[in-house]
Structure formats: structure tokens, C-alpha cells
Amino acid sequence: DTEGLLRIKEENQKHYRRAQRHQEKKEKIQRHNRKLGDLVEKKTYDLKTQYEHLANLRRSHILELTSVIFPIQEVKTSMRDPADVSSESDNAMSSSTVSKLAEARRTTYLSGRWVCDDHNGDTSISITGPWIILPNNGDYSAYYSWVEEKRTTQGPDMEHSNPAHTISAALCYATQLVNTLSLILDVNLPKKLCNRQVKTTERNHEFCGENLSRHRFTRAVKKLNANILHLCFSQHVNLDLLHPLHTLRNLMYLVSPDTENLGR
């Protein structure tokens, strides 16, 4: 029994010494983990600082781009409500007729159905200048009418103020701006839209090339609107401000200096 007790004591001492070594290793590992934790915390702070710096650089580049090359602003027209004009010319007009005229002016026939236009058709959004504008309600029927007229009418188009020209130019510039913003923000766009002329291939600029059919034009506009909305979502633009048909207005909200997360 005494010899067995001595063996047990020796084994216990060995286990104790081994436990001490394990404890020292544990403390060493804990100190190493604390150092790594402090290093990771510092690196995380540095990374966050770099992200903020990068966001500020992106924001400054975007604001410079949209103030010098692609300025976007709202253009108000001086159109008077036909209900007001009619009521002035005919004092005997009933109030119901006036209200019906006002309601008719707030609606637009778009893509085979009547849609409500809250902005009453009095505002448009311009890009690169006040002469290149898009209808605020997304009604691009002037382009369709122009293409149909070009098919039936021979000879050059001498009408420089044709609204179809401004629609095509505005969509062209919007596509260029969106593609540039995707590069600056490092955001991949869900839809591919080409913004340059390519003679050796079949892919030309979606809007400034040949006269597009209604199907191709509508498809290109939908792709452009999807890309703009994708960029707006990535920059946390207020969803209450966005509308799927308001091409330049959504773009204006995206690049506005009031967008807090622009550049993230």
C-alpha cells in the first residue's frame, strides 16, 4: 500500500507539473489572442477610416461630374392650367367642368393606359443643359411618333426642336452618366447598356444610334431605369422619393448633395 501510495503521489506530481505547463501555454495563447484582437480592432478602425475617405473621394468626384459635365436640374414650365384659362374666358362655366378639366390635365395616356401625373406635366428634368430634357412622367411617346413619321416620310429631318431628339439625347447622356457612376461607386449594374458607337460590331449606343423600334426603345429604357434604381438602392436613397418611370428624377436624387450615403 505504501509503494502504491508513493506511485500515486509521483503521478500526481507529474500531472501537476504538466498542468502548470498547460496553464503557461494557455496564458501565452490568451496574451497572443489579446494582441491579435487589438491588431484586428486597429485594422478594422483603419479600414473604416479608409472606407470613409474613399466614400468622400467618390462623393466629391460624383458631385464634380454632375456639376461640370452632367448637370441635372428640374425645369419648370410656365403653362397655365386650362381650367383656370377656361374659367376666365367663360364665367358661366360650372365648377364640375373646371374640376374635370383639371383632372384631365393630371392624367397622361402612357403605353395604352391612363396614368396619374402628380407633377401635372409642368416640370421636366434636364441633363447637361436646359435644352436637353425628359418628361417628368416618363411619357416618351414623342419618340415613337417621330420614328413612325420617319418611316412614312422621305427626306431629311430639318426640325431641330423635335422633342424626340431631346429625348434620345437625354437618355444617351443618362446612360453615359450611369455607366460612369457604376465605375466610380464600384457597383456592378444588373443590365448592360452600351454608351459608345462601335462600327465593327452590331452593338451600338442604345439611344443615339439608328432609329429604334418601339419595342427596342422601351426595352432599353426599362434597362436604364433598372440600373438607376439599382444604384439608388446601393446608396440608400430614400425609397419614398423614387418612381420606376422617372428616369432623370431618380438620377437627380441619387447624385444630390443631400444624399447622405452617396459614395458608400
Side-chain angles (χ1 to χ4, degrees):
D1 292 339
T2 303
E3 292 176 356
L5 180 59
L6 291 175
R7 286 197 302 270
I8 292 175
K9 286 182 178 180
E10 290 177 357
E11 292 178 358
N12 287 341
Q13 289 178 353
K14 290 179 181 179
H15 292 161
Y16 178 75
R17 289 192 296 268
R18 185 180 299 174
Q20 285 184 328
R21 291 195 299 268
H22 288 328
Q23 183 65 25
E24 292 174 356
K25 289 182 179 179
K26 176 184 175 183
E27 293 176 355
K28 184 178 179 181
I29 292 174
Q30 288 177 344
R31 290 193 299 268
H32 182 67
N33 288 340
R34 284 195 295 270
K35 289 182 180 179
L36 288 180
D38 296 339
L39 181 61
V40 169
E41 184 177 357
K42 181 179 180 301
K43 292 293 185 181
T44 302
Y45 177 78
D46 294 340
L47 181 62
K48 182 179 179 181
T49 303
Q50 290 297 326
Y51 275 147
E52 293 176 354
H53 179 64
L54 180 60
N56 291 331
L57 284 178
R58 289 171 171 170
R59 182 185 183 90
S60 63
H61 289 333
I62 291 174
L63 294 180
E64 183 178 6
L65 177 69
T66 54
S67 63
V68 178
I69 302 178
F70 294 101
I72 302 176
Q73 59 184 355
E74 186 173 4
V75 179
K76 293 184 178 294
T77 59
S78 58
M79 295 174 60
R80 300 184 62 187
D81 197 303
D84 298 335
V85 177
S86 300
S87 61
E88 291 176 2
S89 60
D90 186 7
N91 295 329
M93 180 178 291
S94 63
S95 59
S96 61
T97 305
V98 174
S99 61
K100 289 180 180 179
L101 285 173
E103 182 181 358
R105 188 166 183 261
R106 287 193 296 269
T107 57
T108 303
Y109 190 75
L110 179 60
S111 300
R113 61 189 181 90
W114 291 96
V115 296
C116 180
D117 181 11
D118 294 335
H119 296 277
N120 234 3
D122 289 346
T123 60
S124 298
I125 308 298
S126 67
I127 183 171
T128 70
W131 54 90
I132 301 180
I133 60 176
L134 279 184
N136 183 58
N137 58 359
D139 181 12
Y140 304 140
S141 57
Y143 184 88
Y144 313 144
S145 302
W146 175 67
V147 171
E148 293 296 331
E149 183 178 356
K150 290 286 289 183
R151 289 177 178 176
T152 57
T153 304
Q154 300 296 330
D157 186 4
M158 303 301 294
E159 186 179 355
H160 298 287
S161 61
N162 192 327
H165 295 165
T166 60
I167 291 175
S168 178
L171 293 174
C172 172
Y173 287 133
T175 303
Q176 293 178 348
L177 177 57
V178 168
N179 289 342
T180 305
L181 291 177
S182 69
L183 295 177
I184 296 177
L185 296 172
D186 194 23
V187 176
N188 293 327
L189 297 176
K191 305 295 182 180
K192 185 175 182 180
L193 279 176
C194 186
N195 64 340
R196 60 191 178 92
Q197 292 287 354
V198 182
K199 296 182 180 180
T200 58
T201 63
E202 296 181 356
R203 178 175 292 278
N204 292 330
H205 195 292
E206 296 289 349
F207 299 105
C208 287
E210 60 183 8
N211 301 335
L212 300 179
S213 63
R214 177 163 186 160
H215 173 72
R216 288 184 59 191
F217 181 83
T218 304
R219 182 171 178 267
V221 170
K222 288 181 179 179
K223 291 166 66 175
L224 176 59
N225 287 335
N227 287 342
I228 293 175
L229 290 176
H230 183 75
L231 289 178
C232 291
F233 299 154
S234 71
Q235 303 305 300
H236 292 178
V237 179
N238 186 0
L239 299 182
D240 295 334
L241 301 176
L242 303 178
H243 190 283
L245 297 180
H246 296 173
T247 306
L248 288 186
R249 182 171 291 275
N250 294 339
L251 200 53
M252 182 179 66
Y253 288 138
L254 171 64
V255 300
S256 172
D258 297 332
T259 304
E260 298 179 356
N261 297 292
L262 181 61
R264 64 182 295 276

